[in-house]
Amino acid sequence: MDFSSTVASQLNAGVILPEGLVIITLMVVLVGDIILGRNASRQLSYVAIAGLLGSVVALYFQWDNSQTIGFLGGFNGDNLSIVFRGTIVLSTAFTILMSIRYIQQSGTALAEFVSILLTATLGAMFLCGANDLVMIFLSLETLSISSYLLTGYTKRDPRSNEAALKYLLIGAASSAIFLYGVSLLYGLSGGEIRLDAIAAQLTDLSSGQSLGVAIALVFAIAGIAFKISAVPFHQWTPDVYEGSPTPVVAFLSVGSKAAGFALAIRLLVTVFGQVTPEWQFIFTALAVLSMILGNVVALAQTSMKRMLAYSSIAQAGFVMIGLVAGSDDGYASMVFYLFIYLFMNLGAFTCVILFSLRTGTDQIAEYSGLYQKDPLLTLALSICLLSLGGIPPLAGFFGKIYLFWVGWQAGLYGLVLLGLVTSVVSIYYYIRVVKMMVVKEPHEMSDTVKNYPPIRWNLPGMRPLQVGLVLSLVATTLAGILSNPLFNLANSSISNSSVFQTASTPVILSESIINRQSLSE
Amino acid sequence: MLSAFILLPVLGAILISLVPNTNPNQNRPRIIALLFGGVILLWNVILGFQFDPSQTAMQFTEYIPWISWLGFNYHLGLDGLSLPLLFLNSFLTLIAIYSSNVNIQRPRFYYALILLLSTGVAGAFLAQDLLLFFLFYELEIIPLYFLIAIWGGGRRTYAAMKFLIYTALSGILVLAAFLGLVWFSGASTFDYEPLREQVIPLGIQLWLLAALLVGLLIKIPIFPFHTWLPDAHVEASTPVSVLLAGVLLKLGTYGLLRFGVGLFFEAWITLAPWLATLAAISALYGAFAAIAQQDMKKVVAYSSIAHMAYVLLAASASTPLALTAAMFQMISHGLISALLFLLVGVVYKKTGTRDVNVLRGLLNPEKGLPIIGSLMILGVMASAGIPGMVGFIAEFLVFRAAFPIFPLQTLVCLVGTGLTAVYFLLMINKVFFGRLTESLSQLPQVDWGDRIPAIILALFIVILGLQPSWMVRWSETDATALVVSPSLLSQVAQAPDQALSLGDELSMNVLPSRSGNN
């Protein structure tokens, strides 16, 4: 770093402009809620969406910024972080769209919900760019604590309370473990907190450091795996997903997960570059377990939200293939998949919310015969689920092909084959829902669907849901066919990122592949 | 130009789904579907006239870069292997739409799905990019799943799910083989033509080919991967059965020729004896299983398994003549099985049963179904390989081409052909001859609408049987080009000392075609 420059340029505060916009929006929502009262809460959520979109615009203008390091190395706003922050902001905007009606119907305050959600978004965004240990931990905790609050937001629902408590206990434990791992890093590097400085200190692993680094690695991975709900750190997922308000689940499954993956890439590649074979081995195991357990257990679910919970575990398993591949293409495929996953998963959750708003249930069996009463919902949910299952020419197909192709190139034949086989399994449980909705004859219609209320989009808070539904439907259908720009975006976000300039040289990669092969033999 | 085969059906499907539900004219979806089916068929005929069969290169190619990072391009092309199958697809799609029940439930969804199915199949036949083929190969699964699951018989959900799982499994095996091929060959794209010159070690080739084969054999289907087919056929409605047997199964055999023979020729030759043996087993198995069936549709379904095995036999012989024979057998089976399924459908519609033990004397000229019965006899004769019909030419070509290379397996398959006559005669004898039972004597009238598609199919069967060169001329050149691969030729050129053995192989491959065609 250039120490002769002024303090202002060292701070380089402009790099967190998108976060700044989110903070301002948060303030506006908070203060506006106090001044205007409950009647204005719907308008305030539109303000929040506008602020988030403004933040996306700010992110767009920061693309390819030459000065990416801000706050004396505390924050790194490179292209990689921009892509992840963009994904998170978009997922929050979507979540607000779908939560307006849901939260109002549950009888709780909407503006508070939006402000907590914005805080969680802020934490997740900072996490994507965090470049030192303190920053990582602070933003991680901001995200986590807001998530606990959101999980328990519907206070009168005992299941929501149960979910919040479970999430809090397990989350706090995993934070503690993560913090312990981070503190080991601090000690081993001789008191460094910046990731690249730590990496520079950890070059020589022969002198007793290696055991410490290994323990730090395992502890850090435990924290990350909790965030991305990889098996065996997934136990909270089904219960939390089932109990919490559905928009929160949507955010947790996309926004929070994206932040977890961003943290994984940055921490593992920068700090643990020396022990790449080890962490790749651990993530191979996590990916294998996640794909198998997520897909197999999802088969047996009767509740839509639980099924989507296990499916999100399985999807995280697929994404980990890109992480294990460890090449630039691998990270790009993760970015691409997460971006596509944003639309299809949030689309699916929008449909689930819409259905439960109209009928009050989320049992899969209750969906039977829905096509007769609500064709749009049936179409959107079918498209999103089929896309999650990787059926061409929907977006998910392209995402999966890219992940598998990259995995194959990195020599992860077993992992890719497992991914292929488990995606067949996943088609089975996704199509089961589609079958319920589309195939069932009128006389097999469930009672819920028989009493389906007439479709009225003009109720307060329904328009945003409709917008979200149509947007995700269009995006899921077309993002695959028109995916070349997205591919370019994902790839350039990786190739222009400073993280990979030093750490992941091809030599390490090829060594890691050899090592892994010798391990598996 | 070729994109029309992909875009037109999609456009038609969208138009159909836009027809308002409250429209009093419930026939409108059907009319739109017929219109689009007709236009596609017409377009196909026009293309057929412009097609130059003497060229080996792909014609009418279209190339649009799609996803550059994957090396995945939208690349279509037409050659002598795809043109007849493309025609079969357009033709049978129109027939399936026409012969669908006029008062079918949920007509908009039904006709839209049939058109989407047509898109998937046409796209797979036209794709010149491995991933594009896979995309269309998978695309066809979901429409067909719904077509079986919604408009099928009693156990339709089970049959549809079984179909879905088998086909999805087949798809990922094909994908794994493609990924492996491109990775090991070091190619930068999934484009078909450049990959034909790959030089991968034989051991890896064998693995890749094995994955591809299992995937495609499920689709064809060949014993022991066949169990989904009888279920799917029995539960599917008549038009869907026609499409399933007529074109969907051809995706598997087309894949064998295009990708198995075309991309892995060396490994293919190594595995060929085993494939021929498998074909023989499958032919016998299909024939014996067909003898045991009581349901007319199951008889035809098992006969499909037996007849598709001849395609595998011919493909495993992999001489130019044999590949032409394989193409001919595909078309012949497509026409014949479509005809048989149509007729079984008419019988079922009129009598309410397909049980061969219940039906009797349907050929009765006054109260029975004489014209349907006569067409059935014609179809059965064609299937059993009676001279003068397309089945005879196809089977003769197959056996003529395969016999010099796999004599034993060919003889076993010949026995299978003999058994075709047995099971079909058993069926015909029970169903159409004898006295018409009292319970069946009040059959509703068969109107011409039910007969016309069957008569058209029967005409094709007879015409191609009398004039086989009209069919052979399309595929001959390309079948030769497929076997005499560029790498083989270049090997001969580069290593003159080995040219003797390779030259032998070449002449063995090429000569039978000359003798066969003279």
Side-chain angles (χ1 to χ4, degrees):
Chain A
M1 180 164 284
D2 185 8
F3 284 103
S4 63
S5 56
T6 62
V7 176
S9 77
Q10 281 187 36
L11 278 180
N12 193 14
V15 82
I16 60 158
L17 179 67
E19 283 79 3
L21 284 174
V22 176
I23 293 176
I24 293 170
T25 317
L26 176 59
M27 296 294 185
V28 170
V29 173
L30 264 182
V31 177
D33 188 37
I34 296 168
I35 297 174
L36 301 171
R38 225 172 224 215
N39 299 330
S41 57
R42 202 143 28 90
Q43 281 70 25
L44 283 176
S45 36
Y46 296 134
V47 170
I49 291 172
L52 289 168
L53 293 181
S55 170
V56 172
V57 174
L59 282 170
Y60 174 79
F61 282 111
Q62 296 208 332
W63 187 258
D64 277 339
N65 201 345
S66 56
Q67 280 291 317
T68 60
I69 306 283
F71 295 95
L72 304 166
F75 189 86
N76 188 350
D78 55 1
N79 285 353
L80 178 73
S81 81
I82 290 179
V83 171
F84 274 108
R85 282 142 85 199
T87 309
I88 290 163
V89 172
L90 281 179
S91 80
T92 310
F94 253 103
T95 309
I96 294 178
L97 278 181
M98 63 176 93
S99 56
I100 295 174
R101 175 84 187 162
Y102 187 94
I103 297 296
Q104 285 194 326
Q105 195 155 320
S106 75
T108 35
L110 178 62
E112 283 170 34
F113 177 84
V114 172
S115 32
I116 302 176
L117 188 62
L118 287 176
T119 318
T121 311
L122 210 54
M125 286 174 82
F126 276 122
L127 189 57
C128 294
N131 204 32
D132 72 30
L133 296 178
V134 178
M135 190 71 198
I136 287 178
F137 188 71
L138 278 180
S139 43
L140 188 66
E141 282 303 281
T142 314
L143 171 61
S144 300
I145 292 172
S146 322
S147 304
Y148 308 147
L149 288 175
L150 287 172
T151 316
Y153 193 72
T154 43
K155 289 165 228 144
R156 295 185 200 95
D157 183 359
R159 285 191 313 162
S160 176
N161 288 322
E162 181 199 331
L165 188 64
K166 267 188 185 153
Y167 196 25
L168 172 68
L169 291 177
I170 303 179
S174 94
S175 291
I177 293 170
F178 182 77
L179 189 60
Y180 186 49
V182 165
S183 73
L184 279 177
L185 280 181
Y186 180 73
L188 285 168
S189 64
E192 294 287 351
I193 57 167
R194 279 185 50 193
L195 297 185
D196 41 355
I198 295 173
Q201 293 292 324
L202 291 183
T203 44
D204 183 23
L205 292 183
S206 54
S207 57
Q209 268 187 340
S210 61
L211 183 65
V213 172
I215 294 174
L217 173 69
V218 170
F219 285 176
I221 285 181
I224 295 168
F226 168 77
K227 267 275 162 277
I228 60 179
S229 63
V231 180
F233 302 95
H234 70 287
Q235 278 97 345
W236 60 277
T237 318
D239 292 335
V240 170
Y241 277 29
E242 196 182 14
S244 2
T246 319
V248 176
V249 181
F251 176 74
L252 288 183
S253 72
V254 179
S256 172
K257 239 177 216 193
F261 276 112
L263 172 65
I265 293 179
R266 200 172 290 278
L267 197 61
L268 294 175
V269 173
T270 317
V271 176
F272 295 107
Q274 295 294 319
V275 286
T276 306
E278 280 77 9
W279 66 254
Q280 284 184 334
F281 179 72
I282 296 175
F283 268 97
T284 309
L286 293 180
V288 167
L289 290 173
S290 301
M291 286 193 283
I292 293 179
L293 188 126
N295 280 313
V296 172
V297 179
L299 289 175
Q301 301 308 314
T302 54
S303 147
M304 194 72 190
K305 273 160 86 177
R306 275 188 96 88
M307 190 206 87
L308 284 174
Y310 282 105
S311 117
S312 87
I313 294 173
Q315 301 280 344
F318 293 133
V319 177
M320 274 184 262
I321 294 180
L323 189 62
V324 177
S327 55
D328 283 5
D329 274 342
Y331 304 125
S333 69
M334 290 172 70
V335 169
F336 180 72
Y337 196 82
L338 282 173
F339 197 71
I340 290 211
Y341 180 67
L342 163 90
F343 290 110
M344 54 196 189
N345 211 38
L346 289 182
F349 273 112
T350 312
C351 297
V352 173
I353 288 175
L354 204 51
F355 187 75
S356 69
L357 280 178
R358 286 179 181 158
T359 63
T361 174
D362 75 328
Q363 292 299 304
I364 294 175
E366 300 292 342
Y367 280 78
S368 63
L370 186 64
Y371 76 92
Q372 287 209 317
K373 300 282 180 150
D374 196 343
L376 176 67
L377 180 59
T378 308
L379 178 73
L381 187 52
S382 304
I383 294 279
C384 289
L385 289 180
L386 291 177
S387 176
L388 282 169
I391 300 284
L394 304 171
F397 169 78
F398 292 88
K400 267 191 192 159
I401 284 278
Y402 195 23
L403 277 174
F404 290 155
W405 174 230
V406 165
W408 195 277
Q409 279 181 319
L412 311 168
Y413 307 122
L415 210 52
V416 172
L417 286 179
L418 184 72
L420 286 169
V421 172
T422 48
S423 48
V424 171
V425 177
S426 79
I427 291 176
Y428 178 83
Y429 60 79
Y430 291 127
I431 202 104
R432 205 161 55 104
V433 181
V434 180
K435 185 183 88 184
M436 273 296 168
M437 295 187 296
V438 179
V439 174
K440 294 284 181 187
E441 312 234 336
H443 62 85
E444 293 168 306
M445 202 185 278
S446 69
D447 291 338
T448 320
V449 175
K450 272 182 195 150
N451 303 324
Y452 203 72
I455 298 160
R456 288 176 59 199
W457 291 112
N458 52 5
L459 291 173
M462 287 304 264
R463 282 285 162 209
L465 260 177
Q466 191 185 20
V467 170
L469 189 71
V470 172
L471 267 183
S472 58
L473 177 63
V474 171
T476 310
T477 315
L478 295 181
I481 297 169
L482 309 172
S483 55
N484 207 28
L486 285 181
F487 268 99
N488 290 334
L489 184 80
N491 281 291
S492 59
S493 79
I494 298 299
S495 53
N496 297 343
S497 175
S498 56
V499 177
F500 307 102
Q501 308 305 326
T502 50
S504 70
T505 55
V507 183
I508 294 176
L509 278 177
S510 55
E511 269 177 14
S512 76
I513 290 163
I514 294 162
N515 284 345
R516 196 168 44 256
Q517 277 168 348
S518 62
L519 272 172
S520 58
E521 272 159 13
Chain B
M1 276 173 103
L2 295 180
S3 289
F5 292 104
I6 291 158
L7 297 179
L8 271 182
V10 173
L11 186 70
I14 293 173
L15 272 184
I16 287 172
S17 50
L18 289 181
V19 174
N21 205 10
T22 49
N23 196 318
N25 186 2
Q26 282 299 314
N27 260 337
R28 189 161 293 172
R30 181 185 166 87
I31 292 167
I32 298 176
L34 276 175
L35 203 68
F36 273 90
V39 170
I40 294 164
L41 182 62
L42 196 69
W43 185 237
N44 208 332
V45 172
I46 294 172
L47 266 191
F49 278 112
Q50 293 181 358
F51 181 81
D52 176 11
S54 60
Q55 269 191 35
T56 54
M58 290 290 161
Q59 303 181 29
F60 313 112
T61 48
E62 286 178 23
Y63 182 89
I64 304 171
W66 196 345
I67 298 171
S68 44
W69 293 89
L70 280 177
F72 176 24
N73 301 307
Y74 179 81
H75 188 182
L76 301 181
L78 190 68
D79 70 353
L81 296 185
S82 15
L83 182 68
L85 291 170
L86 190 67
F87 181 76
L88 192 68
N89 177 39
S90 313
F91 179 52
L92 290 184
T93 304
L94 187 60
I95 285 201
I97 295 171
Y98 180 79
S99 59
S100 300
N101 187 351
V102 181
N103 301 316
I104 197 157
Q105 293 292 309
R106 302 167 72 179
R108 295 182 302 161
F109 196 36
Y110 176 82
Y111 290 110
L113 284 178
I114 289 206
L115 285 179
L116 282 182
L117 190 64
S118 162
T119 299
V121 176
F125 287 144
L126 292 173
Q128 295 303 318
D129 184 286
L130 302 190
L131 275 186
L132 195 63
F133 173 82
F134 172 72
L135 190 152
F136 284 117
Y137 189 85
E138 291 270 293
L139 184 66
E140 130 276 325
I141 297 181
I142 297 297
L144 196 57
Y145 168 80
F146 282 131
L147 283 171
I148 297 174
I150 299 179
W151 293 276
R155 284 163 67 243
R156 59 181 181 275
T157 31
Y158 167 77
M161 198 51 102
K162 199 167 172 184
F163 159 80
L164 180 84
I165 291 174
Y166 270 79
T167 320
L169 200 66
S170 130
I172 60 150
L173 285 166
V174 171
L175 177 65
F178 285 170
L179 289 181
L181 170 68
V182 173
W183 170 236
F184 285 114
S185 68
S188 58
T189 68
F190 283 86
D191 218 21
Y192 174 73
E193 275 303 324
L195 281 172
R196 290 198 60 200
E197 288 159 34
Q198 49 89 4
V199 272
I200 301 175
L202 187 61
I204 297 174
Q205 266 198 49
L206 283 173
W207 275 108
L208 296 175
L209 181 61
L212 182 73
L213 274 176
V214 175
L216 293 173
L217 294 186
I218 292 174
K219 188 83 189 173
I220 295 176
I222 294 293
F223 177 84
F225 309 108
H226 66 282
T227 56
W228 63 271
L229 185 78
D231 284 316
H233 265 314
V234 170
E235 300 309 326
S237 61
T238 305
V240 178
S241 276
V242 168
L243 284 178
L244 181 59
V247 280
L248 265 295
L249 305 187
K250 307 299 175 292
L251 282 178
T253 42
Y254 172 79
L256 283 186
L257 296 188
R258 175 74 73 200
F259 303 108
V261 180
L263 293 175
F264 302 98
F265 191 67
E266 211 181 341
W268 181 271
I269 296 291
T270 318
L271 286 184
W274 299 101
L275 288 176
T277 311
L278 199 59
I281 294 172
S282 192
L284 270 194
Y285 171 85
F288 279 121
I291 292 177
Q293 300 310 316
Q294 305 300 317
D295 183 329
M296 285 174 82
K297 222 169 175 182
K298 272 202 166 164
V299 177
V300 184
Y302 277 105
S303 91
S304 256
I305 297 176
H307 283 89
M308 291 305 279
Y310 303 152
V311 183
L312 180 62
L313 176 74
S316 59
S318 60
T319 63
L321 175 65
L323 297 187
T324 314
M327 280 303 298
F328 207 115
Q329 171 68 12
M330 276 191 239
I331 300 296
S332 141
H333 174 261
L335 294 172
I336 295 173
S337 62
L339 175 66
L340 292 178
F341 275 118
L342 264 183
L343 295 172
V344 172
V346 175
V347 169
Y348 182 63
K349 194 168 139 194
K350 298 300 167 195
T351 64
T353 178
R354 292 189 301 251
D355 193 333
V356 290
N357 294 321
V358 176
L359 295 167
R360 191 149 304 276
L362 287 185
L363 208 57
N364 188 310
E366 282 159 25
K367 296 172 183 168
L369 310 166
I371 296 184
I372 298 298
S374 315
L375 286 169
M376 190 78 171
I377 292 172
L378 182 125
V380 163
M381 279 163 65
S383 187
I386 304 292
M389 272 164 285
V390 70
F392 168 73
I393 309 285
E395 281 167 28
F396 177 77
L397 278 177
V398 168
F399 298 137
R400 169 69 189 78
F403 187 73
I405 298 166
F406 301 117
L408 185 65
Q409 289 90 333
T410 311
L411 283 176
V412 174
C413 283
L414 273 169
V415 175
T417 319
L419 289 174
T420 311
V422 174
Y423 56 77
F424 272 143
L425 277 184
L426 279 174
M427 182 179 90
I428 289 285
N429 196 21
K430 279 182 178 167
V431 174
F432 289 100
F433 292 98
R435 275 178 67 88
L436 189 67
T437 46
E438 280 307 307
S439 57
L440 294 173
S441 59
Q442 298 301 323
L443 293 180
Q445 196 70 33
V446 181
D447 46 15
W448 279 99
D450 284 337
R451 292 181 188 142
I452 286 171
I455 290 175
I456 297 173
L457 277 170
L459 272 179
F460 267 95
I461 289 170
V462 174
I463 291 173
L464 282 183
L466 297 176
Q467 202 45 274
S469 60
W470 288 1
M471 161 61 213
V472 174
R473 58 187 280 260
W474 300 113
S475 325
E476 214 179 357
T477 330
D478 289 294
T480 315
L482 203 58
V483 184
V484 187
S485 71
S487 62
L488 202 61
L489 285 177
S490 63
Q491 276 176 28
V492 176
Q494 281 164 10
D497 49 330
Q498 294 173 5
L500 193 63
S501 59
L502 280 165
D504 278 348
E505 199 180 344
L506 261 180
S507 63
M508 190 183 79
N509 286 338
V510 177
L511 280 179
S513 93
R514 293 196 188 127
S515 55
N517 289 324
N518 283 340

